[in-house]
Each structure stands twice: as C-alpha cells, then as structure tokens.
Amino acid sequence: MVVRHINPEGLHRSPAFSQAVVVEQPAKTIYIGGQNGVDAEGKVVGPTVGEQALQVFRNLALILESEGASLANIVHWRIAVVEGHSFDEGVAAFQQVWNRADPPPAITVHVVSALGPGFLVEIDAVAVV
C-alpha cells in the first residue's frame, strides 16, 4: 500500500493538514463514526473543547488500536465544533497526541449550531492500514 499526502504548488501548505491524501493499492480502510468527548461510561469528560477533544483523540486511538492501527494511519478527520466555542483548544489537544514526524491528514472543520447534550466537539475519521 502506498499513501501519498498531496500539497500541490499553488495551494497553501500547512503543517497541520494535507490538502488531500491518496491511497494506492488494496488496503484495509477503517471508517470511524463521530466520536464525542465521553468516557467509557458515556459521560462527558469536561466543559471545554480542549478536554473533550483530548478524550475524542483517546477514543479514536482505542478504536484504531483494536484494529492494529494508530492515529498515524488516519488519512482524513472531519471535525464539528459548536458555534461560539473556539477550536484553538482542540488544536492544542491534537498537538498533544499527533506525532509531528507523521504527515498530517486531510482535515475538514465545520462550525455547527449544536451537537448532543453537553457535546462541544465531534470527530469522525478514515484510517488506512
């Protein structure tokens, strides 16, 4: 399997995301449904985007580990953050868990009016192993 992170000339190059990710040859693909900042009992872990985002990343890591993968295998994140809340704390949480030596995935961020009760952030992902 070959995974190529695409950042063509003429587009903004960011250390935080790739413009696109191409996967060549057959591979196992893991589609992870939206994860919220909840613990194993389903309780919201805290009242801030940062606390919830860090838990989301932990949840994503657990899912991936169950399939022999890691956060480094993620090729795309889709992030929803509730309007009125800055995602800067979420970016800080991402920086805590992401290995800067790994190429960053493609990322889409949406500001939404609401998520489930108490949820400030939700992230789904696609990983390729």
Side-chain angles (χ1 to χ4, degrees):
M1 169 192 67
V2 175
V3 177
R4 293 184 293 117
H5 292 74
I6 307 300
N7 292 290
E9 291 297 322
L11 292 177
H12 171 71
R13 186 171 183 97
S14 171
F17 63 87
S18 295
Q19 293 293 343
V21 179
V22 177
V23 179
E24 297 178 5
Q25 301 180 7
K28 176 167 67 172
T29 305
I30 304 167
Y31 298 89
I32 303 171
Q35 297 295 304
N36 301 107
V38 297
D39 61 19
E41 286 77 43
K43 295 181 184 169
V44 177
V45 297
T48 69
V49 169
E51 291 170 295
Q52 291 187 24
L54 194 54
Q55 183 64 46
V56 167
F57 294 128
R58 289 181 187 131
N59 294 348
L60 290 166
L62 284 171
I63 292 167
L64 291 164
E65 287 167 11
S66 75
E67 287 296 314
S70 72
L71 293 175
N73 294 105
I74 291 178
V75 296
H76 185 262
W77 307 93
R78 186 176 7 259
I79 302 167
V81 63
V82 172
E83 184 175 19
H85 295 273
S86 171
F87 195 65
D88 291 345
E89 292 177 39
V91 171
F94 174 77
Q95 291 172 338
Q96 289 180 47
V97 300
W98 190 260
N99 181 345
R100 291 178 189 252
D102 294 331
I107 298 175
T108 304
V109 178
H110 299 279
V111 176
V112 298
S113 62
L115 293 166
F119 300 152
L120 300 177
V121 64
E122 181 173 288
I123 302 174
D124 66 85
V126 178
V128 177
V129 182

